[in-house]
Amino acid sequence: MGDKASTHPGAAGRAPTAGRRPASVRNVVLVGHSGSGKTTLVEALALTAGAVTRAGRVEDGQTVSDYDEIEQRRQRSVQLSLVPVEWDGVKINLLDTPGYADFVGELRAGLRAADAALFVVSAAQDADSVDGATRAVWEECAAVGMPRAIVVTHLDTARTGYAELTRLCGRIFGGDDPDAVLPLYLPLYGPPGPDGHAPVTGLAGLLTRRLSGYTSGERTESAPGEAELPSLDEARDRLIEGIIAESEDETLMDRYLGGEEIDVGTVVADLERAVARGVFHPVLAAAPAVSGGRQGLGTVELLELITRGFPAPPEREAPVVTTPEGAPHAAAACDPRGPLVAEVIKTASDPYVGRLSLVRVFSGTLRPDETVHVSGHSQEGHGRAGQDGGGDRDTDERIGALSAPFGRRQSPLAECVAGDIACVAGLSRAETGDTLSGKDDPLLMEAWTLPEPLLPLAVAAHGKADEDKLSQGLTRLVTEDPTMRVEQNPDTRQLVLWCLGEAQRDVALERLQGRYGVRVDAEPYRVSLRETFGGPAEGRGRHVKQSGGHGQFAICAIEVDPLPSGSGIEFVDRVVGGSVPRQFIPSVEKGVRAQAARGLATGHPLVDVRITLRDGKAHSVDSSDAAFQTAGALALREAADRAPIRLLEPVVAVQVLVPDDFVGPVMSDLSGRRGRVVGTEQTVPGRTLVRAEVPEIEIGRYAVDLRSLSHGTGRFTRSYVRHEPMPSQVADRVREQAHSGT
């Protein structure tokens, strides 16, 4: 690494050819906070590799990554983008992920498809640029041994010095071993400008002791001067010690400490092995090309690290495979000649070609026009408990055209071999997370967990024309982004789109209108309240009408008594003497239950009462089923006028997982939401689980508020516990809203 020639031919935009070997593929996901420079870095790498002819642009003038209209308007990535480039005979699939927490589902897809990760950290921000969410992803990658490297961007507008930032990365990402996170290169600075800021002009390679200059826009190499060697050698010694500490050759450290000069080739080979094993994490710097040049600062070095240090797909263990019924199955080997095992990483809709599926092939070879078997997980198994629709998918589908995406352009592929990623057209049934396998040998890959959406958005069609398209539009949204779910609430009769946050919510509304032509109106989300009697009461229902012909005659008297929470509605017949004929007693029950479902004071269902039918009157000719239903409803309404009606609100159990530093603020915030903290427990070192019971009406925006409170590090789950009486002042406000129609 760092000893290549000053220029490199790359592989300018060539589509991968049939017969590519898995060993010549690298799948790399870019991870980092929004604004850290991931997309700009992808564009710079594409330019250096010769895939584009000017910074980040393809023929239609769009960027190779953020080409979606919403992304262009918002100046922010909102979806996973695949940008394939070639370098030194290796195809590199760059998976650019959104940095904003609302689109973590896209990040999860990128992590699933990748074999290594580049963590992008901006020097233009302060130490908080390494945010809590990025740290959590690092820990997640560490848990599965995914190789990682760190790229520092925005050195031209740095607020945090490179040396300080690399030390910060060592402390944050290295944990107990900060020497496992060390820079491979040091930036070179030119003379300060009028503003006092010294521009970055090149890089100094610590292992090779070579300087790479970029002032001309092209990479040039030179030897360091005598004045530069002391600072270079100090950093070099620490780097070599860090690499040797992770060496599989246990004698190497003793030889080095004994004064032996270790061959650079040996150190580089150990570095590559340590990076591939996920035990050493080099820090590099990168910036786009300047002065109209093709090679951005550090992009050649980064491409070399990816091709030589990151593992090829055969070196990584594939996810567990079973039969669709869950029976064990042999692991999927990364062999183009093996049985087909592939996974849908992302689903999208294109206005011209229809539905497109981004597919990572783990075993076998995917070819156009072949029939494959589609196996899917239940929504609960895929981390989306409660999702409407879906269910297990178990069907055959015909593969359409295969292509390699590059911005809006799709380059046709003859095949996609094990280890590679491609776009597949024509899969109308397959959804994100589904497995594609041979039709005669159906298989299912283990599910990957997606976060549960906990921010509700109630929507209604704007007009009649929108009503017909709303359901289909929402279904497509959820298919493309399974971190959202749609719910038709039977109690409030609202159509609710559950999201991860406000940014995802806004993008969903934009896509509904812009992509699917559906206009919707957002409504205040309503929780499922209940009503109950605050004390016993009696009611008499009289429904007597005579207007020629058969009349209507029914009278009934009832008593209503409160019951314990969770009792529902109990109907008791205590009629004596036949005052209400036996055939009409079910009619009375039907009437009171129908009225209870409609509510009495605020329109919410009545629960937890015993309704006792005591007496009544009937007419031999004019009494009927309908008349006694009406009388039963009238009796219940009269009883409600004679007793206080209490509102019951749903209470949910909330479990909040936060770093220890935020436990106090979280508990205080929950108390301010009328919550009751019921316990805390240490889950892993440095993180605490806070358990509380909170009225649901108080946590409508908790997904957003917790993110702000915990600086993006908090996570929570919720589950219904019970309904309990609402405080009088809150209940009065709900009644006022019900009476005013708001």
Side-chain angles (χ1 to χ4, degrees):
M1 302 177 190
D3 55 354
K4 289 286 180 183
S6 60
T7 58
H8 196 287
R14 291 201 302 265
T17 57
R20 175 177 295 278
R21 294 176 295 108
S24 63
V25 176
R26 302 292 184 274
N27 299 308
V28 182
V29 61
L30 283 83
V31 179
H33 190 271
S34 181
S36 60
K38 297 184 299 299
T39 299
T40 303
L41 178 60
V42 168
E43 294 168 355
L45 292 172
L47 181 64
T48 297
V52 291
T53 55
R54 57 194 179 95
R57 305 286 161 173
V58 289
E59 286 84 345
D60 60 2
Q62 304 298 331
T63 62
V64 299
S65 190
D66 287 351
Y67 59 88
D68 182 87
E69 293 84 352
I70 295 177
E71 290 179 321
Q72 294 173 31
R73 283 196 300 272
R74 291 175 171 265
Q75 297 294 299
R76 173 191 293 164
S77 297
V78 300
Q79 62 183 359
L80 173 70
S81 300
L82 171 64
V83 179
V85 301
E86 291 203 22
W87 185 261
D88 203 19
V90 175
K91 180 186 178 184
I92 304 172
N93 289 315
L94 297 169
L95 295 151
D96 183 16
T97 64
Y100 201 68
D102 283 13
F103 307 105
V104 67
E106 305 289 320
L107 170 61
R108 295 283 176 190
L111 290 170
R112 180 70 162 201
D115 301 305
L118 286 175
F119 281 73
V120 183
V121 178
S122 172
Q125 303 173 17
D126 54 26
D128 289 336
S129 61
V130 187
D131 66 309
T134 303
R135 301 179 198 188
V137 177
W138 180 278
E139 293 171 1
E140 184 178 329
C141 292
V144 297
M146 176 177 281
R148 287 145 283 152
I150 300 161
V151 184
V152 178
T153 59
H154 299 151
L155 285 171
D156 52 338
T157 56
R159 289 177 56 187
T160 306
Y162 183 77
E164 179 186 352
L165 197 53
T166 54
R167 284 195 297 270
L168 176 70
C169 289
R171 187 171 68 251
I172 292 174
F173 296 134
D176 297 334
D177 187 11
D179 284 342
V181 180
L182 293 171
L184 289 184
Y185 302 89
L186 299 181
L188 302 173
Y189 297 93
D195 59 355
H197 181 74
V200 179
T201 59
L203 297 173
L206 296 181
L207 293 181
T208 60
R209 285 197 181 102
R210 299 288 293 175
L211 307 184
S212 302
Y214 289 87
T215 53
S216 65
E218 298 292 334
R219 182 174 181 268
T220 59
E221 287 192 2
S222 62
E226 290 295 327
E228 297 164 312
L229 284 175
S231 60
L232 240 154
D233 286 344
E234 181 182 351
R236 184 178 189 270
D237 289 342
R238 187 182 177 200
L239 172 63
I240 291 176
E241 287 185 19
I243 295 171
I244 292 177
E246 303 297 342
S247 175
E248 296 175 331
D249 183 351
E250 298 179 355
T251 69
L252 203 57
M253 180 60 78
D254 292 335
R255 289 158 50 196
Y256 177 74
L257 294 177
E260 180 180 337
E261 182 70 25
I262 306 299
D263 178 67
V264 171
T266 300
V267 178
V268 170
D270 269 340
L271 168 64
E272 294 171 356
R273 285 191 290 268
V275 170
R277 285 163 43 220
V279 296
F280 186 83
H281 317 291
V283 182
L284 299 90
V290 295
S291 305
R294 181 171 62 85
Q295 295 177 341
L297 183 143
T299 53
V300 170
E301 289 81 359
L302 186 52
L303 288 167
E304 290 176 8
L305 171 70
I306 292 172
T307 55
R308 298 171 59 184
F310 281 169
E315 300 174 56
R316 296 286 297 160
E317 185 176 347
V320 174
V321 177
T322 67
T323 67
E325 296 76 26
H329 192 278
C334 189
D335 182 354
R337 297 166 297 180
L340 177 64
V341 181
E343 187 172 41
V344 178
I345 300 302
K346 178 178 171 59
T347 308
S349 296
D350 185 279
Y352 302 105
V353 300
R355 192 161 168 177
L356 285 174
S357 303
L358 190 64
V359 175
R360 160 77 192 258
V361 180
F362 289 90
S363 174
T365 300
L366 198 62
R367 297 182 177 87
D369 299 322
E370 288 187 344
T371 299
V372 300
H373 188 82
V374 178
S375 302
H377 295 277
S378 65
Q379 304 299 344
E380 291 78 4
H382 202 59
R384 303 194 297 278
Q387 178 91 352
D388 291 342
D392 291 349
R393 283 165 298 287
D394 190 16
T395 185
D396 290 343
E397 281 208 80
R398 190 178 184 84
I399 296 291
L402 298 183
S403 59
F406 200 84
R408 293 185 181 277
R409 187 180 67 202
Q410 300 284 333
S411 301
L413 291 178
E415 62 183 16
C416 182
V417 301
D420 208 350
I421 304 173
C423 273
V424 179
L427 293 177
S428 60
R429 298 287 300 279
E431 298 181 4
T432 300
D434 286 358
T435 302
L436 309 181
S437 55
K439 63 178 182 178
D440 298 325
D441 185 19
L443 298 172
L444 181 63
M445 302 186 74
E446 66 176 343
W448 35 297
T449 303
L450 291 173
E452 182 182 358
L454 295 169
L455 181 69
L457 171 66
V459 296
H462 181 75
K464 180 63 178 176
D466 301 303
E467 289 181 5
D468 300 332
K469 298 182 290 185
L470 179 57
S471 177
Q472 184 180 17
L474 289 173
T475 299
R476 288 182 176 179
L477 274 182
V478 173
T479 299
E480 293 182 14
D481 188 350
T483 61
M484 295 188 291
R485 63 181 172 91
V486 179
E487 172 192 52
Q488 181 72 57
N489 191 307
D491 295 327
T492 64
R493 295 180 289 278
Q494 284 187 313
L495 186 61
V496 182
L497 179 65
W498 289 87
C499 307
L500 293 176
E502 293 175 312
Q504 186 189 44
R505 176 199 65 190
D506 295 343
V507 167
L509 293 177
E510 285 187 55
R511 282 183 173 157
L512 272 178
Q513 182 167 350
R515 184 176 294 179
Y516 305 120
V518 183
R519 295 180 302 164
V520 298
D521 297 321
E523 301 177 336
Y525 172 71
R526 299 192 296 271
V527 302
S528 302
L529 301 178
R530 299 285 187 268
E531 298 176 348
T532 194
F533 274 62
E538 297 181 353
R540 188 170 184 269
R542 186 176 185 275
H543 183 62
V544 178
K545 290 187 177 181
Q546 187 69 47
S547 56
H550 281 297
Q552 300 180 48
F553 188 97
I555 298 174
C556 63
I558 64 171
E559 293 177 355
V560 182
D561 296 289
L563 291 177
S565 175
S567 299
I569 295 179
E570 181 180 333
F571 183 83
V572 180
D573 171 23
R574 290 286 186 268
V575 174
V576 295
S579 56
V580 176
R582 305 307 301 172
Q583 69 268 27
F584 293 133
I585 290 175
S587 303
V588 176
E589 180 178 1
K590 188 175 181 180
V592 297
R593 288 188 180 275
Q595 182 62 57
R598 292 191 295 268
L600 298 167
T602 58
H604 297 99
L606 177 72
V607 296
D608 301 337
V609 293
R610 178 187 295 113
I611 301 172
T612 303
L613 178 61
R614 290 291 187 184
D615 199 4
K617 291 184 179 180
H619 188 277
S620 59
V621 175
D622 293 338
S623 291
S624 66
D625 170 65
F628 271 100
Q629 285 190 46
T630 302
L634 291 171
L636 185 59
R637 291 209 295 267
E638 182 176 287
D641 292 336
R642 297 178 177 180
I645 300 298
R646 305 181 67 180
L647 276 181
L648 305 176
E649 61 181 341
V651 175
V652 294
V654 175
Q655 294 189 339
V656 188
L657 183 63
V658 289
D660 294 345
D661 292 345
F662 298 105
V663 171
V666 164
M667 293 175 65
S668 177
D669 178 73
L670 291 172
S671 297
R673 298 172 186 270
R674 297 191 284 123
R676 296 183 295 273
V677 176
V678 297
T680 61
E681 59 185 84
Q682 197 86 20
T683 55
V684 295
R687 297 183 74 84
T688 297
L689 184 70
V690 180
R691 291 179 284 108
E693 293 183 350
V694 190
E696 184 183 357
I697 201 170
E698 300 288 348
I699 61 168
R701 284 180 45 85
Y702 194 59
V704 176
D705 297 338
L706 177 62
R707 184 180 300 163
S708 174
L709 184 67
S710 65
H711 298 180
T713 61
R715 302 288 182 269
F716 83 103
T717 60
R718 48 177 278 182
S719 57
Y720 171 78
V721 178
R722 61 184 174 276
H723 275 72
E724 64 180 32
M726 178 181 284
S728 58
Q729 66 273 20
V730 182
D732 290 342
R733 186 167 65 247
V734 172
R735 290 189 181 95
E736 290 174 5
Q737 293 173 348
H739 294 152
S740 64
T742 60

